[in-house]
Amino acid sequence: MYGENVCPNHERCPRVPDPGTLLVDTTRGDRVGEFRGVAGFYWSLRPVGGGIEWEVEPRYVRPALLMEQLRARTARLNARSRGEVL
């Protein structure tokens, strides 16, 4: 099914992405986050452009589509233009 990145026991889990890669956390309403690193059994993500990190199991993460990447980056630039972020 589209949007699910479930990793059953018989499948290999996804490879660890490079830091800064934009991913979608399917457990949080398809929230886009920037990959920060591995924390035990979880991957650490943070909002695009900074903010409080959160952790998610790799099986619930998928690569962000180009449209989702553009939306996240545009939201960041808009917030910056309003002076909400640096």
Side-chain angles (χ1 to χ4, degrees), residues 11 23 27 38 76 79 83:
E11 292 183 17
L23 303 170
T27 65
V38 178
R76 160 81 168 104

Side-chain angles (χ1 to χ4, degrees), residues 1 6-7 14 18 28 37 41 45-46 52 65:
M1 178 181 281
V6 181
C7 181
D18 294 327
R28 294 182 185 238
F41 294 108
L45 303 178
R46 74 167 183 176
I52 298 174
L65 300 173

Side-chain angles (χ1 to χ4, degrees), residues 11-84:
E11 292 183 17
R12 246 179 20 132
C13 287
R15 72 169 186 83
V16 176
D18 294 327
T21 302
L22 294 182
L23 303 170
V24 176
D25 179 350
T26 61
T27 65
R28 294 182 185 238
D30 290 342
R31 183 176 180 189
V32 177
E34 186 179 294
F35 179 75
R36 303 297 292 162
V38 178
F41 294 108
Y42 299 94
W43 286 0
S44 293
L45 303 178
R46 74 167 183 176
V48 177
I52 298 174
E53 293 183 5
W54 76 93
E55 295 178 347
V56 61
E57 291 182 45
R59 64 185 177 152
Y60 296 116
V61 173
R62 64 174 173 79
L65 300 173
L66 188 55
M67 176 67 81
E68 293 166 323
Q69 293 177 30
L70 180 61
R71 188 179 300 129
R73 290 185 172 124
T74 301
R76 160 81 168 104
L77 291 173
N78 288 338
R80 187 172 135 195
S81 71
R82 293 188 300 265
E84 297 171 2

